[in-house]
Amino acid sequence: MVYSAARYEGAVRSVLLAHKERGALALARPLGAALAGAAVAASLHGGGAREPLLLVPVPSARRSVRARGHDPVRRIAVAAALALRHAGTYARAVPALRHSRRVADQSGLTARERLDNMAGALEAVPWGGRSLDACRTVLVDDVMTTGASLAEAARALRAVFPGHVFEFTRMCAAVVAAPPLPWETGRIQGGYPPRQEPDSSRTPAGHQPELTGPFQRCS
């Protein structure tokens, strides 16, 4: 299950692109605040109540970091952890994943091509298992397009730590934004799981998620 704070369209898309591609680094703070709400909902869906809450960002490719001058997802994850701490939840951003090989630019690829491009491309850093042991862990990204990057990130974590720590990591992640779903835009596409009803009794006030399909939007 992936929780999203907003639809990837309009002003949200513009803000994310300004932060990622045009170096508007001050936007990390509001983007982090949005990600924080989605991360809380994701961690509750996983059933964990342990602290700290660890946010594991999907790593950017090294050449992208060099070209942009920063890692946008890692920066937003740090801002989200700070927002959570200010709200009373002990949280940390933990860069526990890295690229193990070169990948192609995902833009322009189909969903299947993105999955193939990312397959086996990530690995946990050597100290990753020790850092994540016995903590609530949520994978985080700025945007979910097809879910290929998040799926590969979950696989990489499970490969290193297949025990109970990641029983829910493979299902739960948080992103700032995701594209509108097919039934929200009038298009008919396959591949989405059936609609479910969220368990609102386990979500704190102010972070009530609206379930819209493969991910929940946190309002």
Side-chain angles (χ1 to χ4, degrees), residues 63-86:
R63 68 180 183 279
S64 296
V65 173
R66 287 195 298 269
R68 293 168 178 152
H70 74 124
D71 185 332
V73 179
R74 183 171 178 176
R75 187 178 294 273
I76 294 172
V78 170
L82 182 60
L84 287 168
R85 290 198 298 271
H86 285 168

Side-chain angles (χ1 to χ4, degrees), residues 2-218:
V2 180
Y3 288 72
S4 172
R7 293 176 176 86
Y8 186 59
E9 58 187 6
V12 173
R13 181 178 182 274
S14 297
V15 168
L16 280 163
L17 288 176
H19 174 260
K20 175 183 283 188
E21 305 294 353
R22 294 191 288 278
L25 304 185
L27 294 175
R29 183 173 180 179
L31 291 173
L35 181 62
V40 167
S43 69
L44 291 173
H45 176 85
R50 301 176 302 276
E51 289 194 352
L53 171 59
L54 302 184
L55 308 181
V56 177
V58 174
S60 300
R62 295 183 184 94
R63 68 180 183 279
S64 296
V65 173
R66 287 195 298 269
R68 293 168 178 152
H70 74 124
D71 185 332
V73 179
R74 183 171 178 176
R75 187 178 294 273
I76 294 172
V78 170
L82 182 60
L84 287 168
R85 290 198 298 271
H86 285 168
T89 298
Y90 179 43
R92 289 191 294 124
V94 180
L97 294 172
R98 66 186 181 188
H99 279 258
S100 58
R101 63 169 176 81
R102 188 181 180 90
V103 296
D105 186 351
Q106 294 274 79
S107 61
L109 299 182
T110 66
R112 171 51 59 187
E113 289 170 340
R114 289 183 179 222
L115 285 171
D116 293 341
N117 185 44
M118 290 302 301
L122 301 180
E123 64 182 7
V125 298
W127 47 264
R130 297 191 302 273
S131 297
L132 303 178
D133 191 13
C135 295
R136 289 186 294 165
T137 304
V138 175
L139 289 167
V140 296
D141 206 346
D142 55 351
V143 177
M144 183 186 77
T145 305
T146 63
S149 296
L150 287 170
E152 171 58 18
R155 182 211 61 78
L157 287 181
R158 292 198 308 272
V160 170
F161 224 138
H164 69 280
V165 174
F166 294 118
E167 284 178 356
F168 67 92
T169 301
R170 62 173 175 260
M171 294 294 294
C172 294
V175 297
V176 175
L181 295 177
W183 49 82
E184 293 176 319
T185 59
R187 298 192 301 270
I188 299 177
Q189 298 177 3
Y192 290 98
R195 187 183 183 93
Q196 307 173 41
E197 293 300 323
D199 183 0
S200 59
S201 66
R202 296 173 62 186
T203 307
H207 293 296
Q208 294 293 340
E210 175 193 354
L211 189 62
T212 55
F215 52 89
Q216 297 186 341
R217 304 193 191 281
C218 304

